[in-house]
Amino acid sequence: MGNRFQVKVQVKDRFAAGAQYIDGQLRPGTSGRSHTVVDPATGEEVLTYELASTADVDAAVAAAKRAFPGWSGATPGERSEALHRLAGVLAERAEEFAHAESLQCGKPVKLSTEFDVPGTIDNTAFFAGAARHLQGQAAGEYSGDHTSYVRREAIGVVGSIAPWNYPLQMAAWKILPAIAAGNTIVLKPAELTPLTSLMFAQAAKEAGLPDGVVNIVTGAGRDAGEHLVGHPDVVMTSFTGSTAIGKRVAEIATATVKRLHLELGGKAPFLVFDDADLEAAANGAVAASLINTGQDCTAATRAYVQRPLHDAFVARVAELMETVRVGDPFDPSTDLGPLVSHVHRDRVAGFVERARAYATVVTGGEIPGGELADGAYYRPTLISGAAQDSEVVQSEIFGPVLVVLPFDTDDEGIALANDTPYGLAASAWSRDVYRANRATREIQAGCVWVNDHIPIISEMPHGGYKASGFGKDMSSYSFEEYTQVKHVMYDNTAVAAKDWHRTIFGDR
């Protein structure tokens, strides 16, 4: 395993030519402004690069537009083979990707090694298969006099924006279904974490994908991002990020009548009924609330526990949280790394400090000192006694913070679970299949787990209800969103004057 210094040297060497990947080549941005990628574990510089300008976005879109006829004209088998090769390249480079992801995000290396990178490889293999399996209604004579069939066609240039919390996986979730369907793409990763998105594009070229099929522009949201979404040659936008910015993306996309996919914020409920396995629920709550240092829009954030189990649940979760090892992401024994930046760490800490006025911080709620003082660390935090309408229950904190509230009846528990603007993910914990089944029907979320919380698989869709957005990532549902449905209808009668014409002119 490479150490932090070696990984930094590799990153600087790899991106010496710039952090824009356009038409198969790295180049510097032309905005005249630079940005520094910072290691959140140490506060040290990783890479300083020139940000993209609107001209760089135009160049990337033009490259994607040029590449579109050839790539969309390739057979499904040819696109499938290219993606299978890409999965192979990613597998060969797995350690390199994991280290770069840990360096820019602060993820524990065991998370990037065992979750982010293998998940991305699996996604790539899935969409390699999906490229050959477009679904549609069977051809048939639905009118009696005509044969109808459905074509699914690539739609054109896709302009997508990915967030900083899962840079590699989110790049893959945007790029793979788009290109598997024959589209070309320009992706804007977050300025904080562009490294693995750029590496993914380079891997695509090594796998034999034509130049211009995958392009990366690394720039500010208000400049490069808004210009990409509003670009007249971009026909679809997929955005993952906060609900507030998602609204702005929707405004811009609507003005140019683009297809739009939004995966926005979350505030996932964790609903524990009084017949649940307490130990399983407590372990699940710790894992689900602390994954990626809580920087996960599906992370468990609101645990509603039926009153007979509430106190024991709080005590056990606090006990388990205190065993979590906070430390250097490059140490294989580390459980919890830093937040993505000091600014974000301070934002999370602000939520907890304000909550002390109306709730109890059971454990955590601290910025560690000592050898961790230079990093953006925050201890696992459990809060109880907050009201349902309080800030920590209603707002997306996006950090290692879990709030626990009691409920009495099943009706109340489900109502509380639904009582936020969000609806991305949720879980229900019960030994009673009927009780759990009711929760899966009535909780308003795009994914509801039963007796678990967090696992995702390439074959199943990921996306939200309500203020969590619309559209799906992963699965064949995502793949279909990147296609245009065309109905083709052939006359079978060879009759010049058809019977239906009399409704427009003449008589029978």
Side-chain angles (χ1 to χ4, degrees), residues 184-203:
T184 55
I185 188 166
V186 179
L187 174 75
K188 192 197 90 65
E191 306 96 291
L192 290 173
T193 55
L195 305 181
T196 47
S197 300
L198 292 161
M199 290 167 62
F200 188 92
Q202 290 176 312

mmCIF file with all atom_site columns, all heavy atoms in Angstrom, residues 184-203:
data_model
loop_
_atom_site.group_PDB
_atom_site.id
_atom_site.type_symbol
_atom_site.label_atom_id
_atom_site.label_alt_id
_atom_site.label_comp_id
_atom_site.label_asym_id
_atom_site.label_entity_id
_atom_site.label_seq_id
_atom_site.pdbx_PDB_ins_code
_atom_site.Cartn_x
_atom_site.Cartn_y
_atom_site.Cartn_z
_atom_site.occupancy
_atom_site.B_iso_or_equiv
_atom_site.pdbx_formal_charge
_atom_site.auth_seq_id
_atom_site.auth_comp_id
_atom_site.auth_asym_id
_atom_site.auth_atom_id
_atom_site.pdbx_PDB_model_num
ATOM 1   N N   . THR A 1 184 ? -22.863 10.640 -25.543 1.00 0.00 ? 184 THR A N   1
ATOM 2   C CA  . THR A 1 184 ? -21.563 11.140 -25.092 1.00 0.00 ? 184 THR A CA  1
ATOM 3   C C   . THR A 1 184 ? -21.812 12.082 -23.929 1.00 0.00 ? 184 THR A C   1
ATOM 4   O O   . THR A 1 184 ? -22.930 12.558 -23.728 1.00 0.00 ? 184 THR A O   1
ATOM 5   C CB  . THR A 1 184 ? -20.824 11.846 -26.228 1.00 0.00 ? 184 THR A CB  1
ATOM 6   O OG1 . THR A 1 184 ? -21.658 12.892 -26.765 1.00 0.00 ? 184 THR A OG1 1
ATOM 7   C CG2 . THR A 1 184 ? -20.481 10.861 -27.343 1.00 0.00 ? 184 THR A CG2 1
ATOM 8   N N   . ILE A 1 185 ? -20.773 12.375 -23.147 1.00 0.00 ? 185 ILE A N   1
ATOM 9   C CA  . ILE A 1 185 ? -21.027 13.091 -21.891 1.00 0.00 ? 185 ILE A CA  1
ATOM 10  C C   . ILE A 1 185 ? -19.918 14.075 -21.571 1.00 0.00 ? 185 ILE A C   1
ATOM 11  O O   . ILE A 1 185 ? -18.743 13.856 -21.898 1.00 0.00 ? 185 ILE A O   1
ATOM 12  C CB  . ILE A 1 185 ? -21.192 12.075 -20.731 1.00 0.00 ? 185 ILE A CB  1
ATOM 13  C CG1 . ILE A 1 185 ? -21.654 12.776 -19.439 1.00 0.00 ? 185 ILE A CG1 1
ATOM 14  C CG2 . ILE A 1 185 ? -19.921 11.270 -20.502 1.00 0.00 ? 185 ILE A CG2 1
ATOM 15  C CD1 . ILE A 1 185 ? -22.149 11.826 -18.365 1.00 0.00 ? 185 ILE A CD1 1
ATOM 16  N N   . VAL A 1 186 ? -20.341 15.168 -20.931 1.00 0.00 ? 186 VAL A N   1
ATOM 17  C CA  . VAL A 1 186 ? -19.430 16.111 -20.275 1.00 0.00 ? 186 VAL A CA  1
ATOM 18  C C   . VAL A 1 186 ? -19.823 16.104 -18.804 1.00 0.00 ? 186 VAL A C   1
ATOM 19  O O   . VAL A 1 186 ? -20.961 16.429 -18.460 1.00 0.00 ? 186 VAL A O   1
ATOM 20  C CB  . VAL A 1 186 ? -19.542 17.528 -20.854 1.00 0.00 ? 186 VAL A CB  1
ATOM 21  C CG1 . VAL A 1 186 ? -18.592 18.479 -20.116 1.00 0.00 ? 186 VAL A CG1 1
ATOM 22  C CG2 . VAL A 1 186 ? -19.267 17.525 -22.346 1.00 0.00 ? 186 VAL A CG2 1
ATOM 23  N N   . LEU A 1 187 ? -18.900 15.714 -17.949 1.00 0.00 ? 187 LEU A N   1
ATOM 24  C CA  . LEU A 1 187 ? -19.157 15.642 -16.516 1.00 0.00 ? 187 LEU A CA  1
ATOM 25  C C   . LEU A 1 187 ? -18.388 16.738 -15.801 1.00 0.00 ? 187 LEU A C   1
ATOM 26  O O   . LEU A 1 187 ? -17.192 16.930 -16.047 1.00 0.00 ? 187 LEU A O   1
ATOM 27  C CB  . LEU A 1 187 ? -18.716 14.283 -15.964 1.00 0.00 ? 187 LEU A CB  1
ATOM 28  C CG  . LEU A 1 187 ? -18.798 14.134 -14.435 1.00 0.00 ? 187 LEU A CG  1
ATOM 29  C CD1 . LEU A 1 187 ? -20.250 13.950 -13.997 1.00 0.00 ? 187 LEU A CD1 1
ATOM 30  C CD2 . LEU A 1 187 ? -17.946 12.968 -13.945 1.00 0.00 ? 187 LEU A CD2 1
ATOM 31  N N   . LYS A 1 188 ? -19.078 17.448 -14.892 1.00 0.00 ? 188 LYS A N   1
ATOM 32  C CA  . LYS A 1 188 ? -18.393 18.386 -14.011 1.00 0.00 ? 188 LYS A CA  1
ATOM 33  C C   . LYS A 1 188 ? -18.374 17.801 -12.603 1.00 0.00 ? 188 LYS A C   1
ATOM 34  O O   . LYS A 1 188 ? -19.403 17.745 -11.933 1.00 0.00 ? 188 LYS A O   1
ATOM 35  C CB  . LYS A 1 188 ? -19.078 19.751 -13.977 1.00 0.00 ? 188 LYS A CB  1
ATOM 36  C CG  . LYS A 1 188 ? -18.195 20.814 -13.293 1.00 0.00 ? 188 LYS A CG  1
ATOM 37  C CD  . LYS A 1 188 ? -18.956 22.041 -12.884 1.00 0.00 ? 188 LYS A CD  1
ATOM 38  C CE  . LYS A 1 188 ? -19.518 21.944 -11.490 1.00 0.00 ? 188 LYS A CE  1
ATOM 39  N NZ  . LYS A 1 188 ? -18.488 21.869 -10.405 1.00 0.00 ? 188 LYS A NZ  1
ATOM 40  N N   . PRO A 1 189 ? -17.197 17.347 -12.138 1.00 0.00 ? 189 PRO A N   1
ATOM 41  C CA  . PRO A 1 189 ? -17.107 16.909 -10.745 1.00 0.00 ? 189 PRO A CA  1
ATOM 42  C C   . PRO A 1 189 ? -17.008 18.115 -9.821  1.00 0.00 ? 189 PRO A C   1
ATOM 43  O O   . PRO A 1 189 ? -16.802 19.250 -10.273 1.00 0.00 ? 189 PRO A O   1
ATOM 44  C CB  . PRO A 1 189 ? -15.814 16.094 -10.735 1.00 0.00 ? 189 PRO A CB  1
ATOM 45  C CG  . PRO A 1 189 ? -14.967 16.725 -11.796 1.00 0.00 ? 189 PRO A CG  1
ATOM 46  C CD  . PRO A 1 189 ? -15.924 17.213 -12.858 1.00 0.00 ? 189 PRO A CD  1
ATOM 47  N N   . ALA A 1 190 ? -17.124 17.875 -8.528  1.00 0.00 ? 190 ALA A N   1
ATOM 48  C CA  . ALA A 1 190 ? -16.924 18.949 -7.556  1.00 0.00 ? 190 ALA A CA  1
ATOM 49  C C   . ALA A 1 190 ? -15.474 19.407 -7.592  1.00 0.00 ? 190 ALA A C   1
ATOM 50  O O   . ALA A 1 190 ? -14.557 18.600 -7.749  1.00 0.00 ? 190 ALA A O   1
ATOM 51  C CB  . ALA A 1 190 ? -17.286 18.461 -6.161  1.00 0.00 ? 190 ALA A CB  1
ATOM 52  N N   . GLU A 1 191 ? -15.255 20.717 -7.437  1.00 0.00 ? 191 GLU A N   1
ATOM 53  C CA  . GLU A 1 191 ? -13.890 21.253 -7.468  1.00 0.00 ? 191 GLU A CA  1
ATOM 54  C C   . GLU A 1 191 ? -13.025 20.658 -6.366  1.00 0.00 ? 191 GLU A C   1
ATOM 55  O O   . GLU A 1 191 ? -11.811 20.517 -6.519  1.00 0.00 ? 191 GLU A O   1
ATOM 56  C CB  . GLU A 1 191 ? -13.893 22.779 -7.291  1.00 0.00 ? 191 GLU A CB  1
ATOM 57  C CG  . GLU A 1 191 ? -14.777 23.550 -8.246  1.00 0.00 ? 191 GLU A CG  1
ATOM 58  C CD  . GLU A 1 191 ? -16.129 23.868 -7.645  1.00 0.00 ? 191 GLU A CD  1
ATOM 59  O OE1 . GLU A 1 191 ? -16.926 22.927 -7.455  1.00 0.00 ? 191 GLU A OE1 1
ATOM 60  O OE2 . GLU A 1 191 ? -16.384 25.044 -7.334  1.00 0.00 ? 191 GLU A OE2 1
ATOM 61  N N   . LEU A 1 192 ? -13.659 20.298 -5.228  1.00 0.00 ? 192 LEU A N   1
ATOM 62  C CA  . LEU A 1 192 ? -12.911 19.757 -4.091  1.00 0.00 ? 192 LEU A CA  1
ATOM 63  C C   . LEU A 1 192 ? -12.287 18.404 -4.400  1.00 0.00 ? 192 LEU A C   1
ATOM 64  O O   . LEU A 1 192 ? -11.228 18.068 -3.874  1.00 0.00 ? 192 LEU A O   1
ATOM 65  C CB  . LEU A 1 192 ? -13.842 19.591 -2.883  1.00 0.00 ? 192 LEU A CB  1
ATOM 66  C CG  . LEU A 1 192 ? -14.362 20.834 -2.177  1.00 0.00 ? 192 LEU A CG  1
ATOM 67  C CD1 . LEU A 1 192 ? -15.392 20.436 -1.134  1.00 0.00 ? 192 LEU A CD1 1
ATOM 68  C CD2 . LEU A 1 192 ? -13.229 21.614 -1.529  1.00 0.00 ? 192 LEU A CD2 1
ATOM 69  N N   . THR A 1 193 ? -12.949 17.622 -5.259  1.00 0.00 ? 193 THR A N   1
ATOM 70  C CA  . THR A 1 193 ? -12.585 16.205 -5.401  1.00 0.00 ? 193 THR A CA  1
ATOM 71  C C   . THR A 1 193 ? -12.615 15.746 -6.862  1.00 0.00 ? 193 THR A C   1
ATOM 72  O O   . THR A 1 193 ? -13.379 14.848 -7.216  1.00 0.00 ? 193 THR A O   1
ATOM 73  C CB  . THR A 1 193 ? -13.557 15.334 -4.580  1.00 0.00 ? 193 THR A CB  1
ATOM 74  O OG1 . THR A 1 193 ? -14.911 15.645 -5.004  1.00 0.00 ? 193 THR A OG1 1
ATOM 75  C CG2 . THR A 1 193 ? -13.424 15.585 -3.095  1.00 0.00 ? 193 THR A CG2 1
ATOM 76  N N   . PRO A 1 194 ? -11.784 16.304 -7.736  1.00 0.00 ? 194 PRO A N   1
ATOM 77  C CA  . PRO A 1 194 ? -11.862 15.937 -9.154  1.00 0.00 ? 194 PRO A CA  1
ATOM 78  C C   . PRO A 1 194 ? -11.005 14.753 -9.564  1.00 0.00 ? 194 PRO A C   1
ATOM 79  O O   . PRO A 1 194 ? -11.106 14.277 -10.704 1.00 0.00 ? 194 PRO A O   1
ATOM 80  C CB  . PRO A 1 194 ? -11.348 17.212 -9.842  1.00 0.00 ? 194 PRO A CB  1
ATOM 81  C CG  . PRO A 1 194 ? -10.297 17.720 -8.893  1.00 0.00 ? 194 PRO A CG  1
ATOM 82  C CD  . PRO A 1 194 ? -10.842 17.418 -7.508  1.00 0.00 ? 194 PRO A CD  1
ATOM 83  N N   . LEU A 1 195 ? -10.140 14.261 -8.673  1.00 0.00 ? 195 LEU A N   1
ATOM 84  C CA  . LEU A 1 195 ? -9.062  13.373 -9.102  1.00 0.00 ? 195 LEU A CA  1
ATOM 85  C C   . LEU A 1 195 ? -9.555  12.075 -9.722  1.00 0.00 ? 195 LEU A C   1
ATOM 86  O O   . LEU A 1 195 ? -9.122  11.677 -10.807 1.00 0.00 ? 195 LEU A O   1
ATOM 87  C CB  . LEU A 1 195 ? -8.132  13.066 -7.918  1.00 0.00 ? 195 LEU A CB  1
ATOM 88  C CG  . LEU A 1 195 ? -7.532  14.278 -7.192  1.00 0.00 ? 195 LEU A CG  1
ATOM 89  C CD1 . LEU A 1 195 ? -6.628  13.815 -6.060  1.00 0.00 ? 195 LEU A CD1 1
ATOM 90  C CD2 . LEU A 1 195 ? -6.771  15.170 -8.163  1.00 0.00 ? 195 LEU A CD2 1
ATOM 91  N N   . THR A 1 196 ? -10.453 11.369 -9.045  1.00 0.00 ? 196 THR A N   1
ATOM 92  C CA  . THR A 1 196 ? -10.841 10.054 -9.549  1.00 0.00 ? 196 THR A CA  1
ATOM 93  C C   . THR A 1 196 ? -11.798 10.147 -10.736 1.00 0.00 ? 196 THR A C   1
ATOM 94  O O   . THR A 1 196 ? -11.860 9.215  -11.538 1.00 0.00 ? 196 THR A O   1
ATOM 95  C CB  . THR A 1 196 ? -11.447 9.194  -8.433  1.00 0.00 ? 196 THR A CB  1
ATOM 96  O OG1 . THR A 1 196 ? -12.409 9.954  -7.700  1.00 0.00 ? 196 THR A OG1 1
ATOM 97  C CG2 . THR A 1 196 ? -10.360 8.715  -7.476  1.00 0.00 ? 196 THR A CG2 1
ATOM 98  N N   . SER A 1 197 ? -12.523 11.252 -10.873 1.00 0.00 ? 197 SER A N   1
ATOM 99  C CA  . SER A 1 197 ? -13.330 11.436 -12.089 1.00 0.00 ? 197 SER A CA  1
ATOM 100 C C   . SER A 1 197 ? -12.423 11.554 -13.308 1.00 0.00 ? 197 SER A C   1
ATOM 101 O O   . SER A 1 197 ? -12.686 10.967 -14.368 1.00 0.00 ? 197 SER A O   1
ATOM 102 C CB  . SER A 1 197 ? -14.195 12.693 -11.966 1.00 0.00 ? 197 SER A CB  1
ATOM 103 O OG  . SER A 1 197 ? -15.079 12.606 -10.877 1.00 0.00 ? 197 SER A OG  1
ATOM 104 N N   . LEU A 1 198 ? -11.351 12.319 -13.169 1.00 0.00 ? 198 LEU A N   1
ATOM 105 C CA  . LEU A 1 198 ? -10.380 12.451 -14.260 1.00 0.00 ? 198 LEU A CA  1
ATOM 106 C C   . LEU A 1 198 ? -9.703  11.116 -14.547 1.00 0.00 ? 198 LEU A C   1
ATOM 107 O O   . LEU A 1 198 ? -9.498  10.740 -15.717 1.00 0.00 ? 198 LEU A O   1
ATOM 108 C CB  . LEU A 1 198 ? -9.337  13.507 -13.894 1.00 0.00 ? 198 LEU A CB  1
ATOM 109 C CG  . LEU A 1 198 ? -9.846  14.955 -13.831 1.00 0.00 ? 198 LEU A CG  1
ATOM 110 C CD1 . LEU A 1 198 ? -8.889  15.827 -13.033 1.00 0.00 ? 198 LEU A CD1 1
ATOM 111 C CD2 . LEU A 1 198 ? -10.043 15.520 -15.239 1.00 0.00 ? 198 LEU A CD2 1
ATOM 112 N N   . MET A 1 199 ? -9.367  10.382 -13.501 1.00 0.00 ? 199 MET A N   1
ATOM 113 C CA  . MET A 1 199 ? -8.741  9.073  -13.688 1.00 0.00 ? 199 MET A CA  1
ATOM 114 C C   . MET A 1 199 ? -9.700  8.104  -14.382 1.00 0.00 ? 199 MET A C   1
ATOM 115 O O   . MET A 1 199 ? -9.289  7.273  -15.203 1.00 0.00 ? 199 MET A O   1
ATOM 116 C CB  . MET A 1 199 ? -8.296  8.515  -12.340 1.00 0.00 ? 199 MET A CB  1
ATOM 117 C CG  . MET A 1 199 ? -7.117  9.273  -11.725 1.00 0.00 ? 199 MET A CG  1
ATOM 118 S SD  . MET A 1 199 ? -6.835  8.870  -9.964  1.00 0.00 ? 199 MET A SD  1
ATOM 119 C CE  . MET A 1 199 ? -6.458  7.115  -10.070 1.00 0.00 ? 199 MET A CE  1
ATOM 120 N N   . PHE A 1 200 ? -10.986 8.204  -14.070 1.00 0.00 ? 200 PHE A N   1
ATOM 121 C CA  . PHE A 1 200 ? -11.986 7.346  -14.718 1.00 0.00 ? 200 PHE A CA  1
ATOM 122 C C   . PHE A 1 200 ? -12.025 7.634  -16.219 1.00 0.00 ? 200 PHE A C   1
ATOM 123 O O   . PHE A 1 200 ? -12.083 6.705  -17.035 1.00 0.00 ? 200 PHE A O   1
ATOM 124 C CB  . PHE A 1 200 ? -13.352 7.591  -14.084 1.00 0.00 ? 200 PHE A CB  1
ATOM 125 C CG  . PHE A 1 200 ? -14.423 6.638  -14.517 1.00 0.00 ? 200 PHE A CG  1
ATOM 126 C CD1 . PHE A 1 200 ? -14.675 5.477  -13.804 1.00 0.00 ? 200 PHE A CD1 1
ATOM 127 C CD2 . PHE A 1 200 ? -15.202 6.891  -15.646 1.00 0.00 ? 200 PHE A CD2 1
ATOM 128 C CE1 . PHE A 1 200 ? -15.670 4.585  -14.193 1.00 0.00 ? 200 PHE A CE1 1
ATOM 129 C CE2 . PHE A 1 200 ? -16.187 6.013  -16.056 1.00 0.00 ? 200 PHE A CE2 1
ATOM 130 C CZ  . PHE A 1 200 ? -16.426 4.858  -15.321 1.00 0.00 ? 200 PHE A CZ  1
ATOM 131 N N   . ALA A 1 201 ? -11.996 8.912  -16.592 1.00 0.00 ? 201 ALA A N   1
ATOM 132 C CA  . ALA A 1 201 ? -12.002 9.269  -18.011 1.00 0.00 ? 201 ALA A CA  1
ATOM 133 C C   . ALA A 1 201 ? -10.744 8.756  -18.713 1.00 0.00 ? 201 ALA A C   1
ATOM 134 O O   . ALA A 1 201 ? -10.802 8.269  -19.856 1.00 0.00 ? 201 ALA A O   1
ATOM 135 C CB  . ALA A 1 201 ? -12.121 10.787 -18.165 1.00 0.00 ? 201 ALA A CB  1
ATOM 136 N N   . GLN A 1 202 ? -9.613  8.859  -18.039 1.00 0.00 ? 202 GLN A N   1
ATOM 137 C CA  . GLN A 1 202 ? -8.372  8.332  -18.621 1.00 0.00 ? 202 GLN A CA  1
ATOM 138 C C   . GLN A 1 202 ? -8.450  6.815  -18.799 1.00 0.00 ? 202 GLN A C   1
ATOM 139 O O   . GLN A 1 202 ? -7.980  6.267  -19.798 1.00 0.00 ? 202 GLN A O   1
ATOM 140 C CB  . GLN A 1 202 ? -7.186  8.705  -17.736 1.00 0.00 ? 202 GLN A CB  1
ATOM 141 C CG  . GLN A 1 202 ? -6.845  10.189 -17.740 1.00 0.00 ? 202 GLN A CG  1
ATOM 142 C CD  . GLN A 1 202 ? -5.715  10.507 -16.777 1.00 0.00 ? 202 GLN A CD  1
ATOM 143 O OE1 . GLN A 1 202 ? -5.719  10.091 -15.626 1.00 0.00 ? 202 GLN A OE1 1
ATOM 144 N NE2 . GLN A 1 202 ? -4.721  11.245 -17.268 1.00 0.00 ? 202 GLN A NE2 1
ATOM 145 N N   . ALA A 1 203 ? -9.051  6.135  -17.829 1.00 0.00 ? 203 ALA A N   1
ATOM 146 C CA  . ALA A 1 203 ? -9.210  4.686  -17.932 1.00 0.00 ? 203 ALA A CA  1
ATOM 147 C C   . ALA A 1 203 ? -10.118 4.325  -19.106 1.00 0.00 ? 203 ALA A C   1
ATOM 148 O O   . ALA A 1 203 ? -9.898  3.307  -19.782 1.00 0.00 ? 203 ALA A O   1
ATOM 149 C CB  . ALA A 1 203 ? -9.778  4.124  -16.629 1.00 0.00 ? 203 ALA A CB  1
#
